[in-house]
Structures are given as structure tokens and as C-alpha cells.
Amino acid sequence: MNRIKEFRQQVGMKQQELADVLSVKQTTVSGWEVGRREPDFESLKRMADIFNCSIDELLGQKEKPVVKDDRLNRKLELLNDENLQRMEDYIDLLLKTQGE
């Protein structure tokens, strides 16, 4: 079972308020919370931002994700190809030296 209701209540939002922010109907949010419907990926991303959590946490995954939220991924998406390659090379270097 997902944790949408739990996170929504933690921030003090009503179903209608969340629905308004996500441009969906209140009944859609209700359906997500009781498991009758599944939110689309864009709605999941927006809710994770609103609730300051990861999509994994929102979906009720038991294991904690490696990166608590998607901030690193969002930053990586902003890099141009050259800098993205540099970042990948740096990570490879870190992994190589970590094994020593």
C-alpha cells in the first residue's frame, strides 16, 4: 500500500488541495490513497517534491533508497553531455579507489 495519505496528512493538506496542485480530481487522489488507482509518473514526481520524499517512500517501499530524494538525479539532468561524462568518469575513479 502506498503512503500518499500519510505524507499528505503530515503536511496538513486536504485531498482537494493536493488534487488542485496536481490538476486532478479529488476522487482521483482518494482512489490513489485507497489503492483503487495508481498515480502516473508525473504525479508521483510532483508529490515527491511536495512531500520532500522519494518516489520509493511514497509508494511504500520497504527498503530505503540509496539517495533519499531525487535531488541528485535532478542535478545530473541539468548537466550538459561533457560534464555528465566528467561526472561518470569521477564516479568510476571513486569506485576504483574505494576497492583499495
Side-chain angles (χ1 to χ4, degrees):
M1 182 61 91
N2 70 56
R3 298 172 61 198
I4 296 170
K5 181 177 182 177
E6 176 186 339
F7 281 107
R8 177 182 57 76
Q9 290 176 331
Q10 281 179 3
V11 298
M13 288 182 91
K14 297 182 182 210
Q15 284 183 345
Q16 186 61 57
E17 293 170 323
L18 181 59
D20 291 344
V21 170
L22 299 174
S23 301
V24 298
K25 295 180 180 180
Q26 178 271 327
T27 54
T28 300
V29 173
S30 175
W32 294 340
E33 291 183 355
V34 297
R36 278 193 318 266
R37 297 181 174 166
E38 294 293 325
D40 60 46
F41 187 66
E42 285 303 313
S43 295
L44 286 170
K45 287 192 318 186
R46 292 185 67 201
M47 284 188 283
D49 286 339
I50 292 165
F51 303 141
N52 194 27
C53 67
S54 71
I55 291 174
D56 285 341
E57 289 172 306
L58 200 55
L59 293 177
Q61 299 293 341
K62 299 291 182 203
E63 295 181 27
K64 289 194 173 203
V66 175
V67 178
K68 180 173 172 143
D69 56 49
D70 295 323
R71 287 182 294 183
L72 180 59
N73 288 332
R74 285 188 290 241
K75 288 179 181 179
L76 289 171
E77 288 173 358
L78 297 173
L79 294 176
N80 63 29
D81 290 342
E82 181 181 347
N83 285 331
L84 192 56
Q85 183 60 51
R86 287 179 181 156
M87 179 58 82
E88 188 175 345
D89 292 344
Y90 182 67
I91 291 170
D92 289 341
L93 176 67
L94 287 173
L95 291 171
K96 191 183 291 186
T97 59
Q98 180 176 294
E100 296 176 346

